[in-house]
Amino acid sequence: RTVIAHTKALDPTRPVTYVTDVNYALDRGAPYVDVICVNSYFSWYHDPGHLEVIPLQLMAQFENWYKTYQKPIIQSEYGADSVSGLHSVS
């Protein structure tokens, strides 16, 4: 909150954003920014190999973020990076 307030004080004409991959209900930064950037890894680290669930999970995620914070959302990353054994290719 302090960093975001300082950033806004430096230039109140520009929106402030940040990136998170935390569940919307647990996130602590979203209330203070203007735009929320979300990194998602559905069917990568969660439900690996089940590509059919991606649209449902993404839609639910974005609806929950927007319902909770009423702010613009950007999908900033999807499925990048990998840890051996924590994903699979269908």
Side-chain angles (χ1 to χ4, degrees), residues 13-89:
T13 67
R14 297 183 187 197
V16 175
T17 188
Y18 88 127
V19 178
T20 184
D21 68 348
V22 176
N23 180 289
Y24 76 95
L26 303 174
D27 192 89
R28 294 174 49 188
Y32 308 106
V33 297
D34 302 303
V35 179
I36 302 166
C37 293
V38 180
N39 290 352
S40 304
Y41 307 99
F42 299 121
S43 194
W44 196 262
Y45 297 119
H46 310 285
D47 302 313
H50 293 281
L51 305 180
E52 72 280 2
V53 299
I54 293 171
L56 300 171
Q57 291 170 321
L58 283 174
M59 186 60 71
Q61 170 184 262
F62 293 136
E63 287 174 353
N64 286 327
W65 276 103
Y66 190 76
K67 188 183 335 175
T68 303
Y69 299 105
Q70 299 287 304
K71 297 180 181 190
I73 305 161
I74 296 172
Q75 177 75 65
S76 48
E77 186 174 290
Y78 188 90
D81 198 17
S82 65
V83 175
S84 182
L86 293 181
H87 68 282
S88 65
V89 177

